[in-house]
Amino acid sequence: METLLQTLLNGAASGGVYALVALGYTLIFSVLGVINFAQGALFSLGGYLTYLLLGGKIGVNGALPGWGLPIGLPFWLALLLAALGSGAIGLLVERIAFAPLRRRGAEPLLSLITSLGAGVVLVNLLQLLMGAEGYAFPQGAAGLAHLPESLLLGGARIRTIQVLLLAISALAVASLSLWLDKSRSGKAMRAVAEDPTTATLLGINSEAVVRLAFLLSGMLAGLGGGLIGMSVSLAGPYFGISYGLKGLAVLVLGGLGSVPGAIVGGLVMGLAEALIPSQASGWRDALAFAILFAVLVLRPSGLLGRRQLEKV
Amino acid sequence: MSSSIQPPPSLQPLLQIEQLQVHYGSVQALAGVSLQVQRGELVTLLGSNGAGKSTTLRAISRLEPASSGRILWHGADLATVPAHRTLKLGIGHCPEGRRLLNRQSVAFNLELGAYLRRDRSGIAADLERCYALFPRLAERQQQQAGALSGGEQQMLAIARALMGRPELLMLDEPSLGLAPKLVTEVMAVLAELHRNGQTILLVEQNAQAALEIADRGYVLEAGRIQLQDNAADLLKNPELKAAYLGS
Ligand SMILES: Nc1ncnc2c1ncn2[C@@H]1O[C@H](COP(=O)(O)OP(=O)(O)O)[C@@H](O)[C@H]1O
Ligand SMILES: [Mg+2]
């Protein structure tokens, strides 16, 4: 029997991951006014990269069955490198799916299709390399082995990995907000988000800011994928897509383009799902979207959204 | 570049535009504009709506590509300079419609004006100078720029451009939409900046107000320079009087 504390912690932990995904969308939406539909695929990629960096082996249906790194990295290093890898592929997605359209002054909506295409290609490449089967992470993955499986907190047993998941996503979200708020490049990004021409006249290279947004956004997705892989497992190359969709719902729930909205929206979504009793777990996704509809009926611009989005 | 025929640096204009043409698709906005600005001058570019004044400034800032002609800055062609590098070179542009970061505070707008600068003490000193020049901005530092009155927004736009310490300050219709008293106030500030040595290229439809503080002026009509003269002579020019000075 789960205690309320366990339930809330589990909810907050998955909420944290939703927030990571939603923040990834938010960064790109703020600077370009479009949604990057490859975000879910980058989430999958982060999961697989983390698995391999932890020393996991490729399964029998993969391109190189049985292949793997000779040694596994500590989990924090694996997560960091996997995030960077997803960020790098995020940059590539920008080059391939977004930049050519921008250069030709094409209708921004077209990038929905091109980014979806990039995501599909990425997921299929993962399937080619790793096979379609699910992967459980290496038992007692390096660096995690010395941690206890569970902690006793307020009389309740709590899986260590859930605490870690919550702590890491909270740290990522907090550093991102702090960076946007205080750093020179974060301020430049806020300026580009509001008016790219003005930003240019102030000496800001808005193309560089766009690339930075894609790098960070890919890193957030990759980190989310790694965390979910560690706490649950990799259900197959498509596992990131459902998180990508959930992140999209959170984005709309919190208010398009709002950073605090993405965080609050993620937590609301995660907690609401966790409060559904496990015998009715089939209703979880339905509930998520029911909440979304309810909020949008009451507040069309989302929980913390601006009443109107500025016209581009 | 043929450096042998260039004049000595002291005679070289700060900004020199030669036969500039700009097209928007098939529409010609500038049909061969030539003008120059010397160091320390206040030059005004006049003309009615649609004459091509903003396009001229946007071409200098490299926001619009030139289809032919040259823009020389310190004698060097700007053709290959990307737009975000022009301020670094010393060209400040206070754009048409102010283009403030409306969701951000007054202080944030001014801070971003100094985005390229690293001299903390110099920035702090310039901030003081801007607040002294526009005391109303000092009172509203933490307010959202979008919540300011039109006059205050224009002052913020000018102050933000000054925070970049541009060698040349270009202003696109700073008097637009302001009450006559505020126009006088804005022009007085520009005149003071000019007295302190700031080089200014001022785009205006309000010819009277601009010519009163300018050294020289150009009149642009349908993408061509129609008149150019000293400000005092332009103020007396019968053609200009009929067209712009309403008498
Ligand atoms: N983005 C644009 N696309 C097409 N035509 C434009 C654009 N901007 C300006 N023009 C045209 O170029 C000409 C000059 O415009 P502009 O430089 O804005 O004039 P001014 O600033 O003197 O009012 C006008 O005929 C205007 O309609
Ligand atoms: Mg104009």
Side-chain angles (χ1 to χ4, degrees):
Chain A
M1 187 54 205
E2 266 192 351
T3 67
L4 186 63
L5 183 64
Q6 279 168 318
T7 308
L8 292 180
L9 193 79
N10 287 337
S14 35
V17 172
Y18 296 157
L20 292 183
V21 183
L23 281 175
Y25 286 120
T26 301
L27 286 178
I28 293 173
F29 183 82
S30 312
V31 291
L32 287 183
V34 293
I35 301 289
N36 175 15
F37 273 115
Q39 202 70 357
L42 293 168
F43 192 96
S44 293
L45 176 68
Y48 282 89
L49 284 176
T50 308
Y51 170 82
L52 289 173
L53 289 166
L54 284 171
K57 306 278 180 257
I58 297 180
V60 288
N61 295 318
L64 293 166
W67 185 88
L69 291 182
I71 51 151
L73 301 176
F75 81 93
W76 57 270
L77 189 57
L79 275 177
L80 186 69
L81 291 179
L84 282 171
S86 300
I89 300 301
L91 275 178
L92 190 65
V93 168
E94 193 275 334
R95 280 295 87 180
I96 294 172
F98 290 85
L101 294 178
R102 250 196 342 276
R103 259 199 311 278
R104 297 188 178 91
E107 169 65 42
L109 274 178
L110 287 178
S111 61
L112 300 187
I113 307 298
T114 53
S115 65
L116 190 62
V120 171
V121 169
L122 191 54
V123 164
N124 280 287
L125 281 176
L126 278 177
Q127 178 152 347
L128 220 59
L129 284 172
M130 303 295 293
E133 68 255 49
Y135 286 92
F137 272 45
Q139 267 305 314
L144 277 180
H146 64 269
L147 293 178
E149 172 70 16
S150 60
L151 301 169
L152 208 54
L153 201 75
R157 282 230 152 261
I158 288 166
R159 286 177 68 210
T160 313
I161 189 73
Q162 291 300 91
V163 178
L164 216 52
L165 194 89
L166 183 57
I168 293 175
S169 30
L171 188 71
V173 167
S175 347
L176 183 78
S177 310
L178 202 65
W179 173 80
L180 271 174
D181 229 40
K182 302 278 182 229
S183 77
R184 186 166 177 271
S185 44
K187 287 171 184 172
M189 188 169 289
R190 279 152 67 198
V192 172
E194 191 161 343
D195 188 336
T197 305
T198 295
T200 301
L201 291 178
L202 299 177
I204 296 166
N205 180 352
S206 54
E207 281 295 304
V209 169
V210 166
R211 287 194 292 275
L212 185 59
F214 273 88
L215 173 71
L216 290 173
S217 169
M219 287 178 67
L220 290 172
L223 179 62
L227 289 172
I228 290 299
M230 278 178 25
S231 84
V232 188
S233 71
L234 305 178
Y238 284 91
F239 94 103
I241 303 299
S242 60
Y243 283 90
L245 287 176
K246 203 64 71 68
L248 211 51
V250 166
L251 177 79
V252 179
L253 178 65
L256 275 171
S258 156
V259 169
I263 299 169
V264 171
L267 287 178
V268 167
M269 191 70 90
L271 288 172
E273 284 181 1
L275 288 170
I276 293 194
S278 52
Q279 53 279 27
S281 64
W283 290 91
R284 275 187 186 168
D285 283 348
L287 175 84
F289 287 92
I291 294 177
L292 180 63
F293 285 130
V295 168
L296 289 185
V297 166
L298 297 173
R299 280 188 62 92
S301 52
L303 288 173
L304 299 181
R306 292 185 286 276
R307 289 219 162 248
Q308 276 174 318
L309 283 169
E310 276 74 10
K311 288 228 166 65
V312 187
Chain B
M1 238 187 277
S2 53
S3 53
S4 55
I5 56 161
Q6 280 193 4
S10 56
L11 297 182
Q12 190 178 65
L14 187 59
L15 174 74
Q16 177 155 19
I17 300 181
E18 296 172 350
Q19 291 300 321
L20 178 66
Q21 298 199 17
V22 173
H23 290 80
Y24 293 105
S26 59
V27 178
Q28 186 173 49
L30 298 183
V33 167
S34 300
L35 62 81
Q36 58 183 52
V37 179
Q38 302 285 347
R39 209 168 274 103
E41 269 192 316
L42 199 171
V43 173
T44 182
L45 180 59
L46 307 169
S48 51
N49 223 347
K53 306 181 296 297
S54 299
T55 303
T56 306
L57 295 195
R58 290 173 60 81
I60 299 170
S61 287
R62 305 279 307 131
L63 291 172
E64 303 296 342
S67 22
S68 75
R70 297 201 301 171
I71 302 170
L72 304 176
W73 174 249
H74 285 283
D77 200 331
L78 288 180
T80 58
V81 174
H84 71 269
R85 301 276 309 170
T86 51
L87 179 57
K88 185 100 193 161
L89 293 177
I91 303 171
H93 185 164
C94 186
E96 184 166 36
R98 295 154 197 152
R99 301 297 283 262
L100 297 173
L101 301 172
N102 283 318
R103 299 201 297 261
Q104 310 288 350
S105 68
V106 168
F108 184 94
N109 272 273
L110 292 176
E111 184 188 345
L112 265 267
Y115 175 78
L116 292 174
R117 294 172 60 187
R118 304 282 189 166
D119 56 325
R120 281 173 180 274
S121 57
I123 295 174
D126 282 349
L127 201 55
E128 286 306 306
R129 196 166 64 110
C130 281
Y131 285 141
L133 216 48
F134 304 110
R136 261 174 295 179
L137 294 182
E139 295 158 21
R140 290 167 174 68
Q141 288 180 41
Q142 296 314 320
Q143 269 187 33
Q144 273 203 349
L148 300 178
S149 72
E152 290 160 354
Q153 289 193 1
Q154 188 56 60
M155 289 168 193
L156 179 54
I158 296 173
R160 186 178 66 185
L162 286 173
M163 289 303 294
R165 282 228 157 176
E167 205 174 344
L168 169 68
L169 175 62
M170 305 195 296
L171 301 125
D172 199 337
E173 300 207 40
S175 77
L176 194 70
L178 300 190
K181 189 167 152 287
L182 282 169
V183 174
T184 313
E185 208 171 303
V186 166
M187 292 299 161
V189 167
L190 297 183
E192 185 185 335
L193 291 171
H194 175 42
R195 268 198 305 281
N196 294 332
Q198 175 75 57
T199 311
I200 297 175
L201 177 55
L202 171 63
V203 158
E204 263 303 336
Q205 281 194 62
N206 189 336
Q208 179 78 37
L211 287 170
E212 278 169 7
I213 62 167
D215 299 315
R216 292 190 301 115
Y218 294 86
V219 179
L220 196 59
E221 214 38 80
R224 288 173 210 280
I225 300 285
Q226 296 295 357
L227 276 173
Q228 64 182 85
D229 211 337
N230 293 320
D233 292 324
L234 278 177
L235 269 173
K236 287 180 278 183
N237 186 301
E239 270 180 76
L240 193 68
K241 269 192 172 160
Y244 299 102
L245 301 176
S247 58

